[in-house]
Structure formats: structure tokens, C-alpha cells
Amino acid sequence: MKTKIYMIPGFMNDEKLWSRLIPLFDDTYEFIHLAIPLEDSFDKIVEVINEKIKDEKINLLGFSLGGYIACYFGLKYPNRVNKILAVACTPANLDEVECQRRKEAIEFTKKFGFKGLSRKKVLSLVEPQNQGDEELINLILQMYVDIGEEAFYSQFNATIIRENLSLKLINSNLNLAFLYANKDRLVSSKFMEEFSLKAKNIEFTQIEAQTHMLPLERAKEVKEKIIQWF
């Protein structure tokens, strides 16, 4: 019997996010990519996912924003979840500064048009030793372009209002694990440390790395965690 895992990507990512990870597995695993629905709230996003998936109980792997969505889905539909693995994800709310930054980014894009990620931004997401990996850099740049303007507005609007899920997760009966890099600048190690001390029902794995893009840069470690957890 195959282990089936549904995979939710991060902000402005598509199935290319898994292109270095899935080939590491044999055919006893089945991976199904779930694009983030074009909705403007987490309630609507998880509702669409719930309607789309026909299996009674599922394994969910979410990366970054997808990890938050997977946790949100688990809280809303706990009876539909077997296990969840959230990769490079903090189930926290956004502070006022970040909310304002996102609102400004939306207004800027409306005014000047949708443009791809800057190369500088991509380099800030990857390991220093991989900043010369043109295939990796171009893949991340291409995902952003391919996902497109409609998804940009949808995902940014949905994420502006984002609650801290940690207490709900602590009080849930979900089979939940987190995998993150200790020096990922998009994941607060302080938040995760405090969260892990309170969350005795949740598994936390921290790896020594600077990257946010774990499925692309640390595929072997992600593979090991998937095999161990699912």
C-alpha cells in the first residue's frame, strides 16, 4: 500500500518546489501537489481544499505559507487529517509592520504592475553556498512568474489577516510535526523555541541551515523527516 501525501506549496510557489525532493522517493510513496486556491481568506482556502480532496483521511505536507494552511486545515477539519508536517513554517500572526508592508506591496503592484521577484530577494532566501546555483535561482524566479498576478493578490490578501494558531494547535489532538532551519530569516527561532516548550503534543525538528527553501536545498533532510513522520 502506497503512502499518499498531499503537498501544499508556499507563497508564489508551484509544483517546481518539489522537483528536487520527489525524485528521492521510491514508488511506495505517492505525492499529490495542491495549488493554493485563489481565495482571499484562510477559511475559504481550506474549504476549497476540503471539497477537492476525496480521501477520507489524509497526510498533509505544507511548506511555509502552505504549512500554515495545513495547520489551519487540521484545526478546521481534524477528522480528515492523519498527520501533518509543516516545513519552514511559523504558525504565528503577522505584526503590524509586516501587515502594513504587505498592504503597501499590493498598492505598489496595482500602481506599477506585477513584476517578478528580484534576484536580490531570491539570494536572501537561499544558502550562501548555493547563491551561485543558477538552476536553483532561476527555478525560484520562474515559479513567481508562472504563478502570476492573480495568485499574488489572492495570497497576499489572505495572509494579511493571519491569527496565531499556536495555542489552538497545543490544545488540539493533531498529529503534527514542524521542520525548520535554525537560521531561516523567515522563521522566528524565538517563537518556535517558546512554542515547542509549551507544545508537548507536537514534534519539532530544527536543522542547521540558513535557507528558507528546504525542499529545494535540503531535500535529503526533508526526505528523512517525511519517511520518519509519515
Side-chain angles (χ1 to χ4, degrees), residues 184-201:
D184 179 351
R185 65 180 199 83
L186 297 184
V187 173
S188 167
S189 289
K190 185 173 182 288
F191 177 92
M192 294 303 278
E193 201 174 303
E194 291 170 0
F195 180 29
S196 67
L197 290 172
K198 297 173 192 163
K200 303 302 179 192
N201 58 324

Side-chain angles (χ1 to χ4, degrees), residues 12-217:
M12 299 299 281
N13 298 152
D14 60 20
E15 62 275 8
K16 288 190 282 297
L17 176 71
W18 320 115
S19 60
R20 294 184 176 186
L21 177 64
I22 291 174
L24 300 179
F25 289 86
D26 60 29
D27 61 5
T28 60
Y29 286 82
E30 182 183 355
F31 294 99
I32 298 155
H33 174 77
L34 290 172
I36 297 173
L38 295 171
E39 301 291 347
D40 61 2
S41 74
F42 287 110
D43 280 317
K44 290 178 190 170
I45 285 168
V46 298
E47 199 176 311
V48 171
I49 290 172
N50 184 53
E51 287 169 4
K52 188 179 281 188
I53 296 170
K54 302 305 175 199
D55 298 330
E56 196 175 327
K57 273 197 121 132
I58 61 169
N59 293 314
L60 262 182
L61 185 154
F63 166 73
S64 195
L65 171 59
Y68 185 93
I69 292 169
C71 291
Y72 202 99
F73 180 92
L75 290 169
K76 191 163 184 184
Y77 304 105
N79 296 335
R80 295 215 60 197
V81 171
N82 179 35
K83 286 190 166 186
I84 296 171
L85 175 58
V87 176
C89 159
T90 316
N93 57 321
L94 300 177
D95 60 32
E96 284 183 32
V97 174
E98 182 59 21
C99 288
Q100 188 56 38
R101 191 185 72 78
R102 293 188 182 204
K103 287 175 185 171
E104 286 169 4
I106 290 167
E107 292 311 311
F108 183 87
T109 305
K110 284 178 181 173
K111 193 172 180 181
F112 297 104
F114 176 75
K115 295 183 175 63
L117 270 180
S118 71
R119 190 179 178 85
K120 185 182 174 188
K121 176 70 175 172
V122 174
L123 292 178
S124 76
L125 297 174
V126 303
E127 295 270 35
Q129 67 266 29
N130 292 334
Q131 291 183 356
D133 183 343
E134 288 303 314
E135 186 189 325
L136 173 69
I137 304 306
N138 290 331
L139 186 152
I140 297 169
L141 289 168
Q142 195 59 48
M143 281 197 291
Y144 203 94
V145 172
D146 290 349
I147 288 282
E149 187 171 1
E150 192 181 355
F152 172 84
Y153 287 124
S154 165
Q155 291 178 21
F156 248 178
N157 279 318
T159 58
I160 285 170
I161 301 166
R162 170 174 161 152
E163 67 172 306
N164 185 339
L165 300 178
S166 57
L167 193 60
K168 288 182 180 177
L169 294 171
I170 289 166
N171 293 324
S172 76
N173 293 315
L174 292 172
N175 286 317
L176 173 62
F178 286 88
L179 173 69
Y180 63 100
N182 64 333
K183 292 175 186 159
D184 179 351
R185 65 180 199 83
L186 297 184
V187 173
S188 167
S189 289
K190 185 173 182 288
F191 177 92
M192 294 303 278
E193 201 174 303
E194 291 170 0
F195 180 29
S196 67
L197 290 172
K198 297 173 192 163
K200 303 302 179 192
N201 58 324
I202 298 168
E203 190 172 299
F204 294 83
T205 304
Q206 187 188 79
I207 64 170
E208 183 72 35
Q210 290 186 47
T211 180
H212 183 62
M213 307 304 291
L214 289 174
L216 287 167
E217 292 188 84

